[in-house]
Amino acid sequence: EPEVTQTPSHQVTQMGQEVILRCVPISNHLYFYWYRQILGQKVEFLVSFYNNEISEKSEIFDDQFSVERPDGSNFTLKIRSTKLEDSAMYFCASTVGGASIGNQPQHFGDGTRLSIL
Amino acid sequence: GDSVTQMEGPVTLSEEAFLTINCTYTATGYPSLFWYVQYPGEGLQLLLKATKADDKGSNKGFEATYRKETTSFHLEKGSVQVSDSAVYFCALSDPNYGQNFVFGPGTRLSVLP
């Protein structure tokens, strides 16, 4: 069964450094998402992306964050200048999309654990 | 805005016990409802879903029924196994609220042999 893959599985970065988290969504999916989960807390929506542009973003997704689909397969999340509070598990998800998108499950990757020192 | 509430964990059960994890939601529209499971060190896996009132989602012995009148989607399993130990997340997708999922806080289940 096709799956969403994320790399790296664990990223350790110094505070203030830029970090790029990578995701390869399922190949025929059109909608892509990033979520984060601070240790022991709930999964929080960051951003959704469709047709090469952001379709929604949460208040968490400030100017330090950006997303990009640099080629036909990768979907990246960049944090420009990391802060200690950015330490979390970051999940990428994708879904096929279309008229019934509200009924469709999102398929999640295994996540990237980001640790800011 | 939309929200999902789950029973506080952790929940500890003996093998073959009956499991209920409560989930209630608040939504402006008519949401679809999902249960996801997160095994240790892994990502979120879809367990089951229901897209309209009175629908029952089921998978791997787990069931949940979409109850519009009580805005609930409680997860049940008749006989849990040690391998069911994980964190369970209730989530909704509200077509009137955009594409993103809203997750509950998660309930950690530990099943003892």
Side-chain angles (χ1 to χ4, degrees):
Chain A
E1 184 176 328
E3 56 185 32
V4 175
T5 56
Q6 290 185 241
T7 55
S9 57
H10 191 189
Q11 174 80 44
V12 181
T13 301
Q14 291 288 332
M15 186 173 61
Q17 296 296 304
E18 174 184 284
V19 65
I20 297 177
L21 310 182
R22 303 181 190 281
C23 169
V24 179
I26 295 173
S27 62
N28 65 331
H29 286 189
L30 301 178
Y31 287 79
F32 315 118
Y33 309 84
W34 283 102
Y35 292 81
R36 82 170 183 194
Q37 182 184 28
I38 295 173
L39 185 64
Q41 299 186 26
K42 66 164 62 177
V43 178
E44 301 172 291
F45 168 74
L46 293 178
V47 65
S48 60
F49 191 87
Y50 169 71
N51 199 25
N52 282 321
E53 59 183 30
I54 290 172
S55 46
E56 285 183 78
K57 60 182 181 178
S58 72
E59 63 275 9
I60 302 169
F61 194 88
D62 62 22
D63 291 345
Q64 294 298 313
F65 291 88
S66 62
V67 289
E68 190 180 29
R69 188 155 164 81
D71 53 44
S73 60
N74 289 284
F75 177 53
T76 62
L77 173 70
K78 182 192 289 186
I79 308 175
R80 186 162 54 231
S81 179
T82 50
K83 304 186 284 289
L84 293 176
E85 53 264 38
D86 293 327
S87 295
M89 181 74 86
Y90 288 80
F91 291 106
C92 174
S94 69
T95 193
V96 172
S100 61
I101 186 173
N103 297 337
Q104 296 172 12
Q106 293 182 8
H107 298 262
F108 286 79
D110 283 346
T112 293
R113 179 168 300 284
L114 178 63
S115 299
I116 307 301
L117 304 179
Chain B
D2 292 8
S3 65
V4 176
T5 303
Q6 289 180 235
M7 64 187 293
E8 293 290 326
V11 174
T12 303
L13 297 173
S14 298
E15 206 165 23
E16 299 184 3
F18 184 85
L19 168 71
T20 300
I21 300 178
N22 289 340
C23 170
T24 57
Y25 67 90
T26 302
T28 55
Y30 202 163
S32 293
L33 302 172
F34 305 83
W35 276 101
Y36 280 82
V37 58
Q38 185 179 31
Y39 298 103
E42 298 185 16
L44 297 164
Q45 299 177 25
L46 177 68
L47 184 58
L48 53 84
K49 71 170 189 175
T51 59
K52 60 183 187 297
D54 301 325
D55 265 3
K56 177 186 282 189
S58 60
N59 185 27
K60 300 180 181 178
F62 291 89
E63 293 183 341
T65 301
Y66 189 140
R67 299 287 187 203
K68 188 170 184 291
E69 64 277 12
T70 54
T71 62
S72 64
F73 192 53
H74 304 323
L75 183 68
E76 296 182 336
K77 186 174 185 183
S79 176
V80 293
Q81 306 300 312
V82 172
S83 56
D84 293 326
S85 298
V87 181
Y88 292 81
F89 292 92
C90 186
L92 67 80
S93 173
D94 184 345
N96 289 346
Y97 193 61
Q99 305 157 13
N100 57 293
F101 273 30
V102 176
F103 283 87
T107 301
R108 181 175 300 278
L109 170 66
S110 296
V111 181
L112 305 177

